[in-house]
Amino acid sequence: ETGVTQSPTHLIKTRGQQVTLRCSSQSGHNTVSWYQQALGQGPQFIFQYYREEENGRGNFPPRFSGLQFPNYSSELNVNALELDDSALYLCASSLSRTGRPLHFGNGTRLTVT
Amino acid sequence: GQNIDQPTEMTATEGAIVQINCTYQTSGFNGLFWYQQHAGEAPTFLSYNVLDGLEEKGRFSSFLSRSKGYSYLLLKELQMKDSASYLCAVEKDSNYQLIWGAGTKLIIKP
């Protein structure tokens, strides 16, 4: 059974640029959630995708957007990067939108300079 | 508003017992999760409580009191590998989203 994989592992971008983060869900999981985790904080919910449609969104601006593909992999896109976007971005998959528990990938560490 | 509180940091001795508390105030409640997160790694699932009471799973136990908005994670026979952050997260009833605490960094000393 393949777990949740995220790429890239680390990324450095400049303020104002755009970034795309990728996530492959665990085999058999059709739901992907994205979280932002600042240093020393708990994860903050960005949004969830279920069967290719957005199924809930946290308190993040529209410049955070996402996609889910037919194979249930997902992308997180962030436009007009700000310094405060520097964080660990975690992807989690589950068997369904109400599936428990969430299975997390190791995350992408994004640094915005 | 929504609030989840955990101690920032705790220190314990190898072989001992430690209790990590979590109090919450949220609009809606389905259940409460505990996750372990080693530095630079993904959170890994430890427990999920829906009903009041204690659930034991090996060296780890988790307790919930819904009326008090309170949970704790009990770790017994502490090992050095238990040094990690422990995150408490509430599952809201409206949309199954998780609201997370900031985590408790547990330091185990020999």
Side-chain angles (χ1 to χ4, degrees), chain B residues 13-29:
Chain B
T13 306
E14 190 177 14
I17 299 173
V18 71
Q19 177 175 311
I20 302 174
N21 295 326
C22 170
T23 57
Y24 63 89
Q25 286 181 307
T26 57
S27 55
F29 181 88

Side-chain angles (χ1 to χ4, degrees), chain A residues 4 6 13-14 23 38 44 57 67 76 92 111:
Chain A
V4 179
Q6 293 185 243
K13 289 286 190 177
T14 303
C23 171
Q44 299 290 316
R57 188 180 182 92
L67 280 174
L76 164 65
T111 302

Side-chain angles (χ1 to χ4, degrees), chain A residues 30-32 48-55 68-70 72 95-97:
Chain A
N30 60 20
T31 303
V32 171
Q48 182 189 78
Y49 278 86
Y50 170 66
R51 294 190 173 183
E52 302 178 59
E53 292 195 1
E54 188 178 289
N55 182 53
Q68 188 179 31
F69 300 100
Y72 303 130
L95 279 170
S96 69
R97 64 184 185 90

Side-chain angles (χ1 to χ4, degrees), chain A residues 1-68:
Chain A
E1 182 179 87
T2 307
V4 179
T5 57
Q6 293 185 243
S7 63
T9 306
H10 294 85
L11 202 53
I12 299 174
K13 289 286 190 177
T14 303
R15 190 170 47 185
Q17 286 187 314
Q18 178 267 342
V19 68
T20 297
L21 310 181
R22 295 179 174 83
C23 171
S24 292
S25 59
Q26 185 163 317
S27 178
H29 288 189
N30 60 20
T31 303
V32 171
S33 303
W34 285 92
Y35 288 84
Q36 181 195 65
Q37 187 176 24
L39 203 61
Q41 300 297 314
Q44 299 290 316
F45 175 74
I46 303 175
F47 42 57
Q48 182 189 78
Y49 278 86
Y50 170 66
R51 294 190 173 183
E52 302 178 59
E53 292 195 1
E54 188 178 289
N55 182 53
R57 188 180 182 92
N59 190 26
F60 280 81
R63 61 189 183 84
F64 285 77
S65 63
L67 280 174
Q68 188 179 31

Side-chain angles (χ1 to χ4, degrees), chain B residues 61-79:
Chain B
S61 303
S62 56
F63 171 84
L64 176 68
S65 169
R66 295 178 67 133
S67 61
K68 294 182 179 177
Y70 168 68
S71 173
Y72 67 73
L73 181 69
L74 191 71
L75 292 75
K76 303 176 185 176
E77 300 169 14
L78 286 168
Q79 302 174 10

Side-chain angles (χ1 to χ4, degrees), chain A residues 35 37 40-45 56-58 88 90 97-98 100-106, chain B residues 30 33 35 37 40-45 48 87 91 95-103:
Chain A
Y35 288 84
Q37 187 176 24
Q41 300 297 314
Q44 299 290 316
F45 175 74
R57 188 180 182 92
L88 180 68
L90 294 164
R97 64 184 185 90
T98 60
R100 314 179 184 94
L102 296 177
H103 296 260
F104 284 89
N106 280 338
Chain B
N30 252 4
F33 288 90
Y35 277 79
Q37 187 176 27
E41 297 183 11
T44 55
F45 169 75
Y48 176 62
L87 296 156
E91 181 183 55
N95 51 19
Y96 302 95
Q97 292 176 20
L98 296 186
I99 309 298
W100 297 77

